[in-house]
Amino acid sequence: MNLNCGVCVSKVKSDLDNAEGICHWDVDTTNKDKIQTVKSTGITEEQVIETIQKAGFKIEPLTIK
């Protein structure tokens, strides 16, 4: 993810706050990987990714090994 600072996060805030199915979200901009967490009911991972991409940012799912 390339949401690197508070200004970047503010550019997607409205989209994520208003996305149906997202209960809470956060981006850890202090982590080198810029980890976004989403608590949701009804929105898919793909829809969250699409929302971020439409705002002009890169995002990919985290693979836990």
Side-chain angles (χ1 to χ4, degrees):
M1 173 174 277
N2 66 343
L3 292 172
N4 297 315
C5 65
V7 174
C8 296
V9 172
S10 71
K11 290 181 180 180
V12 297
K13 182 179 182 347
S14 178
D15 294 324
L16 292 173
D17 285 349
N18 294 313
E20 188 173 331
I22 292 181
C23 301
H24 175 77
W25 65 273
D26 185 54
V27 177
D28 182 359
T29 57
T30 62
N31 184 301
K32 70 177 181 72
D33 293 321
K34 311 304 183 231
I35 305 291
Q36 177 186 22
T37 55
V38 177
K39 293 182 182 178
S40 64
T41 56
I43 192 169
T44 66
E45 179 180 288
E46 291 79 20
Q47 290 170 311
V48 172
I49 290 171
E50 185 177 298
T51 299
I52 299 294
Q53 289 174 334
K54 283 183 179 178
F57 294 94
K58 295 178 185 175
I59 184 172
E60 61 186 58
L62 178 64
T63 303
I64 300 173
K65 295 180 181 180

